Amino acid sequence: MQEPDHEAHDGTAGNKSAAGLTRHPENTEVRPLELLFDLVYVFALNQLSHHLLEHRDWVGAAQTAILFLAVFSVWSFTTWIASLTDTERNPVRWLLLAVMTLALFMNGALGDAFGEGGWLFVGVYLTIQVGRNLWALRLGLERIMHDHHGRTLIWTLGTAVLWIGGAIAEGELRLALWGVATLIDLLGFVAAHPLPGRKTDTRDFPFVGEHLIERCRLFLLIALGDTILVSGSSLVGAKLDVPAVVATGVAIIGTIALWWSYFRRSEGVTMETLKKSSDPARLSRMAIYALMGMVAGLILAAVGDEIAIAHPLEQTDVFTNLMIFGGPATFVLAQGWYLWRVDGDLPASRPVAFLTLAILTVATLPLPKLGAAALSVLVLVAMAIADSIKAHREGDRDEVANH
């Protein structure tokens, strides 16, 4: 049986080039190239929200989910590599630039991925996923991460058959094959791609968690920025009357409330826990899981905002309410789960907000879209206020304890 990975940090799979490319534990800074890399995903998130808006049914929702998970996996795995290596070194720079360029073409194919653009989407997706893992194996990282990328490559090659088969197929068969591939990829992602007798044990592994958390933070800002972009674009395309202007204001307030609920208190809790942890890699992985849920929620919320701004006085419907309330609820659920797993303290505002949003999804069906959106934002504002009160009380306690 294989010895636990955490007992080996001697870099048996490493070499001199790997030692030179490995990120120093104190190097937590996010470099400009990494910010440039993330900007490609502004385009991706906008593409995803518009795909869902144009396909307002369960098939469209399934398609959007598959495309989102593919896009997010490319970002998250590449970001993980960037947190292991020094992004100021040329081999790492070239990797990020190559993935960024390829991702632009993949993201450009999102709107027609279930049509004639299927081959472009899958071809670029698999090129990135396979190529990045081969690059990591050739680099020769420490044994834990070298073995992890080897297993990830095996999982990726296993599902490649389904991705390619889906590109060959059309219609429902493509959706089914890609759906199965996505579920397998998601399972591998969450379980850290285990194989018989081989799994990742990152206890005491010197992972620069602060860097990855910062990357997650910046990606969340990009997703929040996309909701603002969608709101502004919707206002430009709508009739500039009082209801549309009010609906746009409501949408912006909702985005601010979600921003506040993360950055007012939760981020500080996360960073404090990370600094004390003996397994920063594990906490960083959970941060990526939570980010995936929060960004998915923001995509749904952006679609709801666009519909409410375009038709503020029309009676709402099931699809619209699933966006208006389901988006924020998904965000709240993902963030609440992360706070509970990381800090062991789930603020009461999270389950209360989630349940209220769930009830309002049904209760507001007789209302106009603007009314539904306003009630959703009211719940988010109340949650943000509760966070501020909790943070203020904790600050008072800390001040007393320090005297």
Side-chain angles (χ1 to χ4, degrees), residues 26-321:
E26 296 181 1
N27 180 11
T28 63
E29 183 179 357
V30 175
R31 299 293 183 177
L33 176 57
E34 296 173 88
L35 299 177
L36 179 66
F37 176 86
D38 284 352
L39 290 179
V40 174
Y41 293 90
V42 175
F43 175 50
L45 297 178
N46 196 260
Q47 285 281 89
L48 290 168
S49 60
H50 277 91
H51 182 84
L52 182 56
L53 185 66
E54 294 170 2
H55 301 83
R56 304 185 194 186
D57 52 29
W58 293 112
V59 173
Q63 291 176 352
T64 305
I66 289 170
L67 298 175
F68 167 70
L69 290 171
V71 167
F72 189 81
S73 70
V74 168
W75 178 85
S76 61
F77 286 131
T78 308
T79 298
W80 187 270
I81 279 282
S83 292
L84 292 171
T85 55
D86 183 356
T87 54
E88 289 294 281
R89 300 296 300 275
N90 280 336
V92 185
R93 283 173 171 167
W94 286 118
L95 171 71
L96 294 178
L97 289 170
V99 173
M100 182 187 74
T101 302
L102 290 170
L104 179 63
F105 290 99
M106 185 186 82
N107 297 340
L110 291 175
D112 198 31
F114 285 89
E116 296 181 357
W119 272 110
L120 176 60
F121 170 74
V122 164
V124 176
Y125 172 73
L126 291 177
T127 298
I128 293 173
Q129 299 292 66
V130 173
R132 185 189 54 245
N133 283 306
L134 289 174
W135 181 90
L137 291 173
R138 182 178 178 275
L139 177 64
L141 296 168
E142 289 183 284
R143 187 164 70 92
I144 293 176
M145 286 298 114
H146 185 273
D147 183 63
H148 172 74
H149 284 97
R151 299 194 318 270
T152 302
L153 178 62
I154 293 173
W155 276 70
T156 301
L157 293 174
T159 58
V161 177
L162 295 171
W163 285 109
I164 294 172
I168 296 172
E170 296 180 356
E172 295 180 357
L173 182 56
R174 176 178 295 183
L175 180 64
L177 289 172
W178 284 2
V180 173
T182 300
L183 289 175
I184 295 173
D185 286 343
L186 182 61
L187 175 63
F189 175 57
V190 173
H193 302 94
L195 290 176
R198 297 168 61 188
K199 63 180 182 179
T200 300
D201 187 348
T202 55
R203 286 172 292 177
D204 299 318
F205 178 68
F207 183 78
V208 188
E210 291 89 344
H211 175 268
L212 191 136
I213 295 297
E214 178 66 11
R215 290 295 304 277
C216 290
R217 173 179 179 264
L218 294 172
F219 194 84
L220 182 62
L221 283 173
I222 286 176
L224 288 164
D226 179 64
T227 65
I228 295 175
L229 178 63
V230 168
S231 297
S233 300
S234 301
L235 179 63
V236 170
K239 181 181 178 181
L240 293 179
D241 53 14
V242 173
V245 172
V246 172
T248 304
V250 167
I252 296 299
I253 293 172
T255 300
I256 293 172
L258 289 173
W259 171 85
W260 191 277
S261 72
Y262 180 85
F263 289 96
R264 176 64 180 91
R265 174 183 177 272
S266 301
E267 184 189 30
V269 171
T270 298
M271 294 304 294
E272 286 300 316
T273 305
L274 184 67
K275 291 176 182 178
K276 301 173 184 176
S277 175
S278 62
D279 194 351
R282 176 176 170 272
L283 293 184
S284 298
R285 281 177 50 206
M286 288 194 292
I288 291 179
Y289 303 155
L291 178 67
M292 180 170 60
M294 288 188 287
V295 173
L298 289 172
I299 292 173
L300 299 181
V303 173
D305 290 342
E306 186 163 357
I307 295 173
I309 293 169
H311 310 284
L313 299 182
E314 290 184 4
Q315 182 176 342
T316 192
D317 53 69
V318 173
F319 178 86
T320 301
N321 271 17

